[in-house]
Amino acid sequence: MALTGPSGSGKTTALNIIGGLDKPSKGHVFVEGRDLATMSRTELSRLRRDKIGFVFQAYNLVPVLTAFENAEMVLRLQGMPSHERHERITKLLDDVGLAGMHDRKPAEMSGGQQQRVAIARAIAPGPLVTLADEPTANVDSTTAEMLLSLMEKLNRERGVTFIFSTHDPRVMARARRIVRMV
């Protein structure tokens, strides 16, 4: 699904509300039958850690960590054993086209490579939904098409659900459903 609206429309706020970062001024957001507005900060933190993946427009990778370390971060927070993390992240980074780049830090990678690390980090724990804020905004058109193809493949082959906030017609053209925010 793609969320779209006029520039400055609060589209990021829509993802923040869906992701439990902000509370709605009206209405309700339910995840697995629970109203996010009634959850404590601790419950919301656990929900975000375990059930919601985030792909940020500016990547939000930790600059001193490698691609592997950035991608495994949520799994560490969940307490997954080292050997399981290693196996999962190695396969996932290879699947997103980063074979041989596991030890690179963000400054040693292109924007598209950094966004692929961000996607891997978001989907590593197997979230119910992955929220992507303008995932094609900071990359060239060729890389944008590659990222969209990757996310479409992840949706089709792994069942990863993506909700995008976007103004990019290429993202909207591939969306199964579009919700326009006013």
Side-chain angles (χ1 to χ4, degrees):
M1 175 171 63
L3 299 174
T4 183
S7 184
S9 68
K11 62 156 180 67
T12 301
T13 301
L15 286 186
N16 287 349
I17 290 171
I18 294 167
L21 296 169
D22 291 333
K23 293 190 180 204
S25 55
K26 290 183 180 178
H28 301 275
V29 177
F30 292 89
V31 175
E32 293 190 314
R34 296 217 37 217
D35 185 347
L36 298 188
T38 66
M39 296 173 75
S40 71
R41 292 177 96 162
T42 301
E43 290 172 317
L44 287 168
S45 291
R46 285 188 189 122
L47 174 79
R48 287 188 294 272
R49 181 192 69 195
D50 298 337
K51 306 287 184 176
I52 301 173
F54 291 89
V55 178
F56 300 97
Q57 181 175 347
Y59 320 131
N60 285 6
L61 301 177
V62 179
V64 298
L65 298 181
T66 65
F68 187 93
E69 293 165 336
N70 268 287
E72 78 167 340
M73 188 181 315
V74 176
L75 300 180
R76 276 183 174 271
L77 293 172
Q78 291 177 327
M80 180 180 282
S82 176
H83 68 281
E84 288 180 42
R85 286 194 319 265
H86 186 270
E87 186 177 310
R88 183 179 296 191
I89 297 304
T90 298
K91 180 170 181 4
L92 189 52
L93 288 175
D94 291 352
D95 287 350
V96 299
L98 295 173
M101 297 183 181
H102 298 194
D103 292 329
R104 291 192 186 175
K105 293 186 176 167
E108 301 167 333
M109 303 170 83
S110 70
Q113 291 166 338
Q114 290 181 58
Q115 193 65 302
R116 284 184 267 171
V117 172
I119 292 167
R121 177 188 56 201
I123 67 171
L128 294 173
V129 65
T130 302
L131 306 177
D133 182 19
E134 297 283 1
T136 58
N138 292 323
V139 296
D140 61 70
S141 60
T142 302
T143 302
E145 287 295 331
M146 183 277 309
L147 288 170
L148 291 172
S149 293
L150 170 64
M151 288 183 276
E152 196 170 43
K153 178 181 176 185
L154 290 167
N155 172 259
R156 187 176 57 253
E157 293 179 5
R158 290 182 174 225
V160 177
T161 299
F162 288 96
I163 297 177
F164 300 94
S165 67
T166 191
H167 292 95
D168 187 338
R170 295 171 296 194
V171 175
M172 290 183 260
R174 293 182 184 221
R176 291 186 188 161
R177 181 175 175 205
I178 296 175
V179 176
R180 297 197 188 281
M181 304 297 289
V182 180

